[in-house]
Amino acid sequence: MKNRITELLGIRYPIVQGGMQWVGRAEMAAAVSNAGGLGTLGALTQPTPEDLAREIERCRAMTDKPFGVNVTMLPTVNPPPYERIFDVIVDGGIRIVETAGNVPAAVFDRLRAAGIVIVHKCTSVRHALAAEKRGVHIVSIDGFECAGHPGEEDVPGLVLIPAAVSALNVPVIASGGIADGRGMAAALSLGAEGVNMGTRFVATREAPVHDNVKQALVKARENETRLIMRTLRNSSRVLLNPVSEEVLELEHRPGGAAFEVLRPLVNGQRGRAALESGDTTNGVIWAGMVAGLIDDIPSCGELIERMVAQCRARLAAAAALAAA
Ligand code: NAD
């Protein structure tokens, strides 16, 4: 499974764990990297840049394989100290950064100058082309199915992945809607050179969240996520639960709801508490439609080996069909 993605990222299998808020900690990233994929720490998960520096060291103590750091630049309740976060990343010798959101060109310039491979995550071909022009090395294109922020254009992966592949010269990672080797084979067939998964990795033994959260993902069906904050043009795909229902109810009242009205429901600290306590009814739990494809809680190693085997079998079956 050697291609531009495995070469650029220095990994065995072209499978990336996207940087997930509150989940992308050393336990998660190291488990994925040790299993042959690329694990990713979430920079904003750490309370301060100094904590991020310590988390990077903790991850290094848990794996000698490459891992990345995600820096998301989207609206936040408290503005993160991005300059100092990038200082820590560059000074800490990180070789791979996953960016998302509205990233200034100067940030890409700085990362490139430091020899860092930039994987930029985005949700439209237009933004992907702009990022390519600004020098990112890889685009991770996020279909409408994805957890988190799918953007406002609602193009699912089956269309978005080949559209991005056709438009770009840099290699593409397919993100959103992938949970197993079938999805991986489909993404590769559409021209992507790797896959990114978030929700699927939350339902693994090593994911640092309460077991109730993993069980909730096993239980959820593909139609049990909701898009909240669409009225604020900050659409966010989360699990269906009383909190997401209340957010939608407030948003759909005549006149809508300002962010300040939604903040007590959607704020990240409340979501974090839900992930840690296991009270999945009392905070926003980010999840993609692939929740409907998850029915067990394997280790990251089992998951990745199984995916790769299933992907190979699917591609071989397709090749046999083509030759018949
Ligand atoms: P937070 O507590 O800062 O904010 C909670 C939610 O409210 C987030 O979805 C955020 O985008 C949104 N928000 C904050 N201020 C807003 C405003 N003024 N207008 C509209 N929406 C607003 O978030 P957090 O949980 O600490 O997460 C930190 C960052 O990581 C946020 O930018 C969040 O969106 C992002 N994140 C990204 C993903 C992803 O899938 N890429 C998943 C989780 C969180």
Side-chain angles (χ1 to χ4, degrees):
M1 284 208 165
K2 277 203 186 326
N3 63 19
R4 289 188 291 174
I5 295 292
T6 58
E7 293 297 314
L8 275 165
L9 302 180
I11 53 179
R12 181 157 183 223
Y13 301 127
I15 299 176
V16 173
Q17 167 246 319
M20 294 172 279
Q21 184 69 356
W22 312 128
V23 183
R25 300 178 187 275
E27 290 78 6
M28 180 84 268
V32 175
S33 291
N34 284 333
L38 183 80
T40 310
L41 297 175
L44 306 189
T45 294
Q46 298 302 321
T48 67
E50 293 70 35
D51 290 306
L52 174 60
R54 281 189 283 276
E55 193 69 359
I56 290 170
E57 284 316 313
R58 217 162 67 80
C59 197
R60 283 211 174 103
M62 295 165 80
T63 183
D64 56 1
K65 302 280 192 307
F67 62 90
V69 175
N70 168 287
V71 186
T72 295
M73 303 181 90
L74 287 169
T76 48
V77 170
N78 301 307
Y82 284 117
E83 195 66 31
R84 285 169 50 223
I85 287 173
F86 287 116
D87 288 345
V88 162
I89 287 172
V90 171
D91 297 346
I94 286 294
R95 309 307 325 154
I96 301 160
V97 168
E98 180 188 66
T99 52
N102 307 310
V103 183
V107 166
F108 289 143
D109 292 345
R110 179 173 184 198
L111 296 177
R112 278 184 72 92
I116 290 172
V117 174
I118 308 167
V119 182
H120 184 64
K121 204 167 197 195
C122 51
T123 59
S124 75
V125 173
R126 185 165 44 90
H127 289 143
L129 281 167
E132 181 181 67
K133 218 161 142 191
R134 289 175 172 184
V136 309
H137 303 87
I138 298 170
V139 162
S140 186
I141 197 84
D142 223 356
F144 183 56
E145 308 91 327
C146 72
H149 297 276
E152 311 303 326
E153 296 182 2
D154 302 357
V155 183
L158 203 56
V159 172
L160 190 59
I161 298 163
V165 169
S166 296
L168 297 166
N169 292 309
V170 296
V172 169
I173 292 175
S175 186
I178 297 153
D180 55 30
R182 298 171 299 179
M184 184 173 174
L188 297 178
S189 300
L190 294 171
E193 293 180 53
V195 294
N196 173 91
M197 302 191 300
T199 308
R200 176 62 267 199
F201 279 123
V202 179
T204 58
R205 288 217 287 277
E206 295 93 336
V209 302
H210 196 284
D211 193 54
N212 289 357
V213 177
K214 304 177 188 184
Q215 297 297 345
L217 292 174
V218 168
K219 233 192 281 155
R221 299 163 74 139
E222 64 280 6
N223 60 357
E224 288 179 326
T225 66
R226 290 295 178 268
L227 270 189
I228 60 170
M229 291 195 280
R230 174 133 273 200
T231 54
L232 302 176
R233 291 191 64 75
N234 188 23
S235 295
S236 305
R237 189 178 297 286
V238 301
L239 211 54
L240 168 63
N241 74 3
V243 177
S244 52
E245 286 191 300
E246 194 177 340
V247 172
L248 285 175
E249 198 266 313
L250 288 168
E251 284 190 87
H252 291 140
R253 281 185 188 173
F259 178 69
E260 281 313 305
V261 175
L262 305 181
R263 191 165 61 85
L265 294 165
V266 302
N267 79 78
Q269 291 303 334
R270 184 167 171 174
R272 174 194 182 164
L275 292 179
E276 287 175 0
S277 70
D279 183 354
T280 58
T281 62
N282 195 24
V284 154
I285 313 270
W286 302 81
M289 289 179 175
V290 291
L293 301 177
I294 294 173
D295 46 26
D296 63 354
I297 304 170
S299 69
C300 290
E302 287 160 359
L303 174 65
I304 287 180
E305 288 300 331
R306 181 172 83 191
M307 259 184 92
V308 169
Q310 193 183 27
C311 174
R312 286 194 165 122
R314 292 276 159 161
L315 293 176
L321 182 66

